[in-house]
Amino acid sequence: MTAKELSNGLLRTIFILAGIVAAYYFLSAISSVLMYLITALVLTLIGRPLLRFFKNKFKFSNNVAVVAVLFIYVSFIVGFIALLVPLIIEQGNHLAVLNIADIEKNVVSLKNDLVTFLEEHHINAADEVAKFNPANVIDFNFIPNILNNLLGALGNIGMAIGSTLFITFFFLKDKQQIAFNIQRLIPKDQRERTANSIESINEMLSSYFVALLLQLGIVFVLYFIVLIIFGVPNALVIAFICAILNIIPYIGPLIASVLAALLTMMSHLGQDFQSEILPTTIYILIGFWIVQLIDNNVSQPLIFSKSTNSHPLEIFLVILIAGFLGGVLLMIAAVPLYTMLKIIAKEFFPNNKFVQILTQNM
């Protein structure tokens, strides 16, 4: 290798590395825009069945059907805000007269009640719980700042919602034109396969996201019933938050159970620990675990297996690997990404034996 070739190779490597670094910083700078685009794409995939329904059932034009779909989205957002506003106002009134010392005292009292219960039943964990000092772990002074932080975030949330809905409108309205422009960037001999892959991905992911919404709806109703039965305040909001956490595979339900238990205990502060707080919390946990048994054995297999045409063990391994590679975010996106890769592999490598085995049910 000559000195000129070596220098050219070195320069090429430097330019490639510089390009990678520049691309990383560019993508980091526009990460919010990318999130808007991804969210809009998901809303578009969810809205496709609704769009077809309005066009076929009510004979709406494409533009009117798109407006109808967006009206449903906006109605859902408004309904969610209307659900949260009374809760925020109520908590704001409490925060206005909040006594931080009283809150810390109540939490310490709750800890002492737990220690007493464990000691009475000769449970070894009592010593460890007794060493726990809430004041060293939790800065209770953060509570009065919650509303200020929430109000400061409302502007960003409003911009995110507006931008996402705006992008979704054009994704739904001009989907054919967008697909045509994308195909023009692809070599002519690959356009047909690409078009088939895009259509298959759209159909399967639409089914997946709609089924996922149905699953979350079922979990939400069951959580709400459990919380209502045991008289937990703000059951609707807590059930909704816990249902959303179920989007995170395997970890989400555990977080939801812990969150529900903590909120249940905090909502009953001042009552007798052994006869009121502890039994209610245990009942809530049992109820949530029953819901998870129903979800894991009925809802999830139907959604992840039927909507993606993949074996449950296959889905489990994909999510597990995604968790090790990229954490929670990749776990959430694992199934849609895996489904997309399978569809593309089937279209472009139909004679590969491994691909044939993976896609035999597609």
Side-chain angles (χ1 to χ4, degrees):
M1 179 179 293
T2 65
K4 183 177 181 180
E5 291 175 338
L6 182 61
S7 62
N8 288 338
L10 182 60
L11 287 174
R12 190 181 301 111
T13 302
I14 292 174
F15 282 130
I16 292 173
L17 292 175
I20 293 174
V21 172
Y24 171 78
Y25 281 105
F26 176 73
L27 292 176
S28 299
I30 64 168
S31 58
S32 296
V33 177
L34 293 177
M35 287 303 301
Y36 298 161
L37 287 170
I38 293 171
T39 306
L41 181 59
V42 172
L43 291 177
T44 301
L45 293 171
I46 294 173
R48 277 169 57 91
L50 291 172
L51 194 68
R52 285 197 296 264
F53 173 77
F54 286 128
K55 292 169 70 173
N56 297 333
K57 184 70 175 180
F58 299 105
K59 306 303 179 184
F60 286 173
S61 66
N62 185 67
N63 289 347
V64 174
V66 169
V67 172
V69 172
L70 287 182
F71 177 78
I72 292 175
Y73 288 154
V74 172
S75 299
F76 177 82
I77 294 171
V78 171
F80 178 64
I81 293 174
L83 180 68
L84 286 183
V85 165
L87 177 62
I88 294 173
I89 293 175
E90 177 186 349
Q91 295 304 316
N93 293 332
H94 291 320
L95 292 174
V97 294
L98 196 60
N99 189 323
I100 302 299
D102 286 346
I103 291 182
E104 186 172 347
K105 181 179 178 181
N106 287 335
V107 173
V108 172
S109 175
L110 183 62
K111 183 208 74 170
N112 293 335
D113 289 339
L114 179 59
V115 170
T116 301
F117 174 80
L118 294 175
E119 288 176 344
E120 289 177 352
H121 292 78
H122 306 290
I123 300 175
N124 295 330
D127 292 337
E128 296 300 322
V129 176
K131 295 177 184 177
F132 172 71
N133 185 359
N136 294 335
V137 179
I138 305 171
D139 181 10
F140 291 93
N141 290 302
F142 83 93
I143 299 176
N145 297 324
I146 290 177
L147 280 182
N148 293 331
N149 295 333
L150 181 61
L151 291 174
L154 285 180
N156 294 332
I157 294 173
M159 180 179 177
I161 293 174
S163 301
T164 301
L165 291 177
F166 185 78
I167 297 170
T168 303
F169 172 80
F170 286 102
F171 276 2
L172 287 169
K173 176 179 176 293
D174 300 325
K175 59 183 182 299
Q176 293 181 344
Q177 182 64 37
I178 293 172
F180 175 74
N181 289 333
I182 292 174
Q183 288 185 22
R184 291 177 61 185
L185 301 174
I186 299 170
K188 290 184 178 180
D189 59 334
Q190 300 294 335
R191 288 182 182 177
E192 183 177 354
R193 289 181 174 180
T194 303
N196 293 336
S197 298
I198 291 174
E199 184 60 29
S200 298
I201 288 171
N202 285 340
E203 292 297 329
M204 189 160 288
L205 290 186
S206 293
S207 300
Y208 170 78
F209 286 120
V210 170
L212 182 61
L213 286 179
L214 178 61
Q215 180 223 4
L216 295 180
I218 293 172
V219 170
F220 163 72
V221 171
L222 294 176
Y223 279 162
F224 179 66
I225 292 173
V226 171
L227 294 171
I228 282 293
I229 289 175
F230 297 104
V232 177
N234 301 315
L236 197 64
V237 178
I238 295 173
F240 182 82
I241 295 173
C242 291
I244 294 298
L245 286 170
N246 275 260
I247 293 177
I248 307 172
Y250 308 115
I251 300 175
L254 177 61
I255 299 174
S257 298
V258 173
L259 177 63
L262 289 174
L263 292 174
T264 300
M265 297 177 75
M266 295 299 292
S267 66
H268 290 82
L269 282 175
Q271 300 181 12
D272 182 72
F273 180 80
Q274 188 163 343
S275 63
E276 296 289 341
I277 297 178
L278 185 62
T280 303
T281 303
I282 291 175
Y283 295 148
I284 292 294
L285 285 174
I286 292 174
F288 269 52
W289 291 337
I290 292 174
V291 172
Q292 285 308 311
L293 285 175
I294 296 172
D295 183 49
N296 292 335
N297 293 283
V298 179
S299 303
Q300 285 193 18
L302 290 175
I303 289 171
F304 293 128
S305 299
K306 301 298 181 182
S307 62
T308 62
N309 294 325
S310 300
H311 193 276
L313 179 59
E314 186 180 352
I315 294 298
F316 173 78
L317 292 175
V318 167
I319 294 174
L320 192 63
I321 293 171
F324 281 112
L325 293 177
V328 172
L329 289 178
L330 193 56
M331 288 177 71
I332 296 173
V335 176
L337 289 176
Y338 179 66
T339 302
M340 292 171 61
L341 291 175
K342 285 178 64 175
I343 292 173
I344 294 171
K346 182 179 181 180
E347 189 64 39
F348 285 89
F349 309 102
N351 297 322
N352 184 281
K353 296 295 184 182
F354 182 69
V355 172
Q356 290 176 353
I357 294 173
L358 286 178
T359 60
Q360 59 185 338
N361 295 322
M362 299 181 70

